[in-house]
Amino acid sequence: MLKKYLQTQQDNFDIMRSRHSQLQRQAEHEQQRSSLLTQHINSMETSRQMVCSLSLQNLSGLKVIMHDMAQQQQHRSLLAQQEAAMQQQACSKQAAYNLAIEQVLEKRRQRQILQQQRREQKQQDELAMQMYQRQRVLG
């Protein structure tokens, strides 16, 4: 029964690791989007290159919007990284839990082996005693 439970926990662990990989990829993607957005903002025209005041106003407004977008993207990136880190912690705890169950199972197996060895030794001792007693009676 404990072996079945361990298998269930191992299946859960596999699902958790898969989810962690997915979250890791998502965090990397969000970070990449943030970097690309920052690069785009940095590559925008400067006010020295503008001639018309309307263009300067448009550029200023666009930069404000882009900076807000960059902040939001950085926030999404941070959240994705935090979620991946929390999933990693959950995976670590699950791995430790599975290891503890495996250790319990191994101790049980070792105990069963020892009990079997003792039973066999007891049977051998009894046979040796019976053979000794027969030899004395016949002897």
Side-chain angles (χ1 to χ4, degrees), residues 9-23:
Q9 293 304 310
Q10 192 63 40
D11 293 344
N12 287 343
F13 180 59
D14 292 341
I15 292 168
M16 291 171 79
R17 284 190 316 196
S18 175
R19 176 74 175 137
H20 177 257
S21 295
Q22 180 184 20
L23 290 171

Side-chain angles (χ1 to χ4, degrees), residues 5 14 16 32 55 61 64 76 84 88 105 117 122:
Y5 180 68
D14 292 341
M16 291 171 79
Q32 185 180 25
S55 295
V64 167
R76 276 195 297 273
Q88 176 61 42
L105 285 171
Q117 288 173 343
K122 185 176 178 182

Side-chain angles (χ1 to χ4, degrees), residues 3-138:
K3 286 182 184 180
K4 204 176 233 185
Y5 180 68
L6 175 60
Q7 185 58 50
T8 302
Q9 293 304 310
Q10 192 63 40
D11 293 344
N12 287 343
F13 180 59
D14 292 341
I15 292 168
M16 291 171 79
R17 284 190 316 196
S18 175
R19 176 74 175 137
H20 177 257
S21 295
Q22 180 184 20
L23 290 171
Q24 225 19 54
R25 285 190 301 276
Q26 170 127 14
E28 290 168 4
H29 178 71
E30 294 294 342
Q31 182 58 43
Q32 185 180 25
R33 288 176 69 189
S34 182
S35 295
L36 288 172
L37 188 55
T38 300
Q39 287 175 5
H40 181 68
I41 292 170
N42 292 337
S43 71
M44 292 175 72
E45 293 184 44
T46 62
S47 58
R48 285 184 230 129
Q49 296 170 325
M50 294 282 176
V51 181
C52 169
S53 67
L54 184 58
S55 295
L56 283 171
Q57 285 178 334
N58 287 343
L59 178 64
S60 176
L62 184 58
K63 281 189 174 185
V64 167
I65 292 169
M66 296 295 281
H67 281 291
D68 285 345
M69 287 175 59
Q71 283 182 325
Q72 290 173 4
Q73 183 58 43
Q74 286 175 342
H75 182 70
R76 276 195 297 273
S77 178
L78 180 63
L79 289 176
Q81 289 172 357
Q82 288 173 343
E83 191 174 2
M86 287 177 11
Q87 186 66 28
Q88 176 61 42
Q89 287 177 336
C91 284
S92 295
K93 287 179 182 178
Q94 185 67 40
Y97 185 66
N98 289 1
L99 182 61
I101 294 171
E102 288 172 0
Q103 289 172 343
V104 167
L105 285 171
E106 180 61 22
K107 284 181 183 179
R108 282 185 182 177
R109 190 180 71 76
Q110 291 294 331
R111 202 170 337 151
Q112 288 172 347
I113 290 171
L114 185 60
Q115 287 172 348
Q116 180 64 29
Q117 288 173 343
R118 286 181 181 159
R119 279 193 296 270
E120 290 172 2
Q121 184 63 46
K122 185 176 178 182
Q123 288 174 350
Q124 288 176 1
D125 290 347
E126 287 175 4
L127 284 173
M129 183 61 88
Q130 288 173 3
M131 287 177 58
Y132 174 75
Q133 287 176 348
R134 282 188 188 161
Q135 284 180 352
R136 277 188 58 199
V137 170
L138 295 175

